[in-house]
Amino acid sequence: MTNEVVDFTSQKASEQVQEKKTSQTEMLVERQAQEVQVAMIAAKRFPRNQVTAYNNILTACQRVKLAETSMYEFPRGKEIVTGPSIRLAEAIAQNWGNIDFGWMELEQRNGVSQVMAYAWDLETNSRQTKMFSVPHIRHTRKGDYVLTDPRDIYEAVANQAARRVRSCILGIIPGDVVDGAINQCNKTLREGYEMPLVDRVRMMVRAFEKEFSVNLEMIEKYIGCKSEAFTANSFVRLKKVYASLRDGVAKREDYFEIALPQDEKEISDPFKDGKDVKADVAK
């Protein structure tokens, strides 16, 4: 009888906690809606100047640091998929003006987070919203394991949310504006360095080795030539790969042929040469 009382009490407490979380989520959504309404009024009073906004975007894309992280790249089958990164999307939205964007975790239940990503043009009332679930699991080559640390859970959710936010932003920004930003970033990467290309390549190789355990031989095989023959476009490709690996868009195995450690290699058959082990033992 005592056990039944304890179980009932525990279940009641769990329900109360869940009701509290649901109430907090509703309050958060309601508060954000009120903030957006105020922002929409301000956007109507102070509309963007599209010419000035576009010029501001191009000026931002002349910064080398932004250009370096402006694109992602990962292989899909026999094709290379590339596009604007979340960093470039954020820079475009900030300079375009009167755009509210971000993400929020709606709830956590049974090891899964329910998340909403959004981008809202406050002038035109154009809006992109994406609802998705993020299981609290990390996938590794050695298998999957459950995340329990709140920091690990937040990082997993934030990583997934950033991709949806990027998609939402690009869904409401005019396509020609995005294309102009990409072209300016590529131009900056080709012309915006004072350091010689050979030194930039050397620094890039060090970064790959230190952060992702990818050596020069792997990089040369990916590019298709020796590092001495790398061009500015080769460097741009490597920057895209670096940004994709850093942001978790792809894994190093998607680009490079990773040699297995010695202990993971297949053990050779000691009898494949046809020698008679028994005869050797008999000697």
Side-chain angles (χ1 to χ4, degrees), residues 34-243:
Q34 293 174 352
E35 292 175 352
V36 169
Q37 290 177 356
V38 174
M40 290 181 69
I41 296 174
K44 294 295 184 181
R45 292 185 59 188
F46 306 102
R48 72 174 64 92
N49 183 316
Q50 293 194 8
V51 175
T52 301
Y54 183 68
N55 290 334
N56 290 341
I57 291 172
L58 296 185
T59 300
C61 292
Q62 293 175 8
R63 303 199 308 268
V64 173
K65 289 298 183 182
L66 175 60
E68 287 178 342
T69 60
S70 62
M71 302 293 291
Y72 67 84
E73 176 182 303
F74 65 91
R76 178 180 293 167
K78 296 182 179 180
E79 298 181 351
I80 297 295
V81 179
T82 185
S85 68
I86 179 60
R87 302 291 170 259
L88 180 58
E90 289 173 344
I92 293 174
Q94 290 162 359
N95 286 281
W96 193 242
N98 289 337
I99 292 180
D100 181 43
F101 63 91
W103 62 274
M104 65 173 64
E105 185 181 54
L106 302 178
E107 67 173 354
Q108 286 188 20
R109 181 183 299 181
N110 299 327
V112 178
S113 292
Q114 302 297 329
V115 189
M116 180 181 72
Y118 63 91
W120 197 339
D121 190 322
L122 302 174
E123 284 189 32
T124 64
N125 203 27
S126 174
R127 185 178 184 183
Q128 290 268 333
T129 304
K130 296 186 182 298
M131 308 285 290
F132 57 98
S133 301
V134 181
H136 300 166
I137 298 175
R138 178 165 293 165
H139 305 285
T140 67
R141 295 183 64 187
K142 296 183 179 179
D144 301 341
Y145 65 91
V146 178
L147 301 177
T148 56
D149 188 292
R151 181 176 179 179
D152 291 338
I153 293 173
Y154 173 81
E155 291 177 352
V157 172
N159 183 272
Q160 294 290 329
R163 305 179 196 180
R164 273 73 173 191
V165 172
R166 177 191 65 214
S167 178
C168 290
I169 292 174
L170 298 178
I172 63 174
I173 300 290
D176 61 313
V177 174
V178 177
D179 291 341
I182 293 173
N183 292 335
Q184 180 59 58
C185 285
N186 289 333
K187 182 179 179 180
T188 300
L189 288 175
R190 290 192 300 267
E191 305 173 358
Y193 289 95
E194 297 180 359
M195 184 183 297
L197 177 62
V198 63
D199 293 332
R200 283 184 274 147
V201 170
R202 189 179 297 112
M203 292 181 63
M204 177 64 65
V205 171
R206 289 177 189 164
F208 271 100
E209 288 181 336
K210 180 179 179 181
E211 299 182 33
F212 309 114
S213 299
V214 174
N215 59 35
L216 177 60
E217 183 181 353
M218 299 176 190
I219 294 174
E220 289 177 337
K221 194 166 185 179
Y222 172 74
I223 296 296
C225 64
K226 291 293 184 180
S227 60
E228 294 81 1
F230 282 7
T231 65
N233 287 332
S234 303
F235 182 75
V236 171
R237 286 180 61 192
L238 288 176
K239 293 300 296 186
K240 293 176 182 178
V241 173
Y242 177 84

Side-chain angles (χ1 to χ4, degrees), residues 6-60:
V6 172
D7 292 342
F8 177 77
T9 304
S10 177
Q11 181 180 0
K12 194 69 175 178
S14 177
E15 291 177 354
Q16 290 176 349
V17 170
Q18 189 60 46
E19 289 177 359
K20 183 178 180 180
K21 289 184 177 179
T22 303
S23 177
Q24 289 176 342
T25 300
E26 292 175 351
M27 291 175 59
L28 179 62
V29 173
E30 183 179 354
R31 184 179 67 181
Q32 188 193 32
Q34 293 174 352
E35 292 175 352
V36 169
Q37 290 177 356
V38 174
M40 290 181 69
I41 296 174
K44 294 295 184 181
R45 292 185 59 188
F46 306 102
R48 72 174 64 92
N49 183 316
Q50 293 194 8
V51 175
T52 301
Y54 183 68
N55 290 334
N56 290 341
I57 291 172
L58 296 185
T59 300

